[in-house]
């Protein structure tokens, strides 16, 4: 029965009403609902969205400022690092130059000591050679004297046994020959 009533009412309402134009009750109800929706959006939703957008803008701008500050600090640290590196290189070059100078000084000291030692050894060798030469000359004089006395004894036929006399004769003979013999021997 209800369905019959609704069908009859629908048939009666359909004949008078234009389907393109809405009913005035629907328009009023739509306006009220739209007004309530706009009020709720403007009162609660849009301020929250504004706060969210402001927070995002602050976060982005703050992030950019923090990034710029971090970049400036990084650049400052880079400049400090470069300055320290240049200072370290300068210090290393100075130390290297000092080490070279010290090495050259040590080298010169060692060479001077080696020259002194060489001169000392050469001097000692020359002194030793002079002493050996003196010794050899003395031995040769005594040997030559003995041989001369023996030879003279054989030639003369008599013994020159008197030691003091024979030695004096030999010494005199060698001394007479000494300057002439040593000059002739050195030529």
């Amino acid at each position: 029965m209800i369905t019959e009533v609704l069908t009859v009412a629908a048939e009666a309402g359909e004949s008078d009403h234009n389907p393109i134009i809405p009913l005035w009750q629907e328009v009023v109800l739509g306006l009220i609902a739209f007004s309530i929706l706009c009020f709720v959006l403007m009162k609660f939703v849009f301020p929250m969205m504004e706060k969210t957008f402001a927070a995002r803008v602050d976060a982005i701008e703050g992030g950019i400022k923090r990034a710029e500050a971090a970049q400036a600090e990084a650049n400052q640290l880079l400049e400090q690092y470069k300055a320290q590196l240049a200072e370290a290189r300068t210090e290393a070059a100075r130390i290297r130059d000092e080490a070279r100078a010290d090495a050259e000084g040590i080298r010169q000291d060692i060479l001077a000591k080696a020259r002194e030692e060489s001169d000392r050894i050469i001097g000692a060798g020359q002194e030793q050679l002079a002493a050996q030469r003196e010794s050899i000359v003395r031995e040769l004089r005594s040997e030559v004297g003995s041989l001369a006395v023996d030879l003279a004894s054989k030639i003369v036929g008599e013994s020159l046994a008197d030691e003091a006399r024979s030695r004096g004769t030999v010494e005199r003979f060698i001394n007479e020959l000494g300057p002439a013999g040593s000059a002739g021997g050195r030529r």
Side-chain angles (χ1 to χ4, degrees), residues 21 23 26 40 66 78 87 120-121 156 176 183:
I21 299 174
L23 295 173
E26 289 179 0
V40 169
R66 285 191 302 274
L78 179 63
E87 184 178 322
R120 186 190 63 77
I121 290 172
V156 172
E176 288 174 5

Side-chain angles (χ1 to χ4, degrees), residues 9 11 14 16 20-21 40 44 48 53 56 59-60 64 81 98 101 106 123 136 138 141 156-157 165 168 172:
E11 288 176 7
E14 283 182 19
D16 293 347
I20 297 179
I21 299 174
V40 169
F44 301 109
M48 294 294 269
F53 289 141
R56 288 182 109 193
I60 290 171
I64 290 172
Y81 170 73
E98 286 178 2
I106 291 170
I136 291 172
R138 268 186 268 132
R141 282 186 178 195
V156 172
R165 197 169 66 186
R172 191 172 12 106

Side-chain angles (χ1 to χ4, degrees), residues 38-55:
C38 285
F39 175 75
V40 169
L41 286 175
M42 284 191 236
K43 185 72 174 173
F44 301 109
V45 176
F46 290 154
M48 294 294 269
M49 289 177 64
E50 283 296 321
K51 286 181 184 177
T52 304
F53 289 141

Side-chain angles (χ1 to χ4, degrees), residues 28-38:
V28 170
L29 185 64
L31 284 175
I32 292 173
F34 183 72
S35 299
I36 292 173
L37 180 66
C38 285

Side-chain angles (χ1 to χ4, degrees), residues 118-132:
S118 172
D119 291 345
R120 186 190 63 77
I121 290 172
I122 289 171
Q126 287 175 345
E127 288 176 6
Q128 189 177 11
L129 284 174
Q132 286 178 351

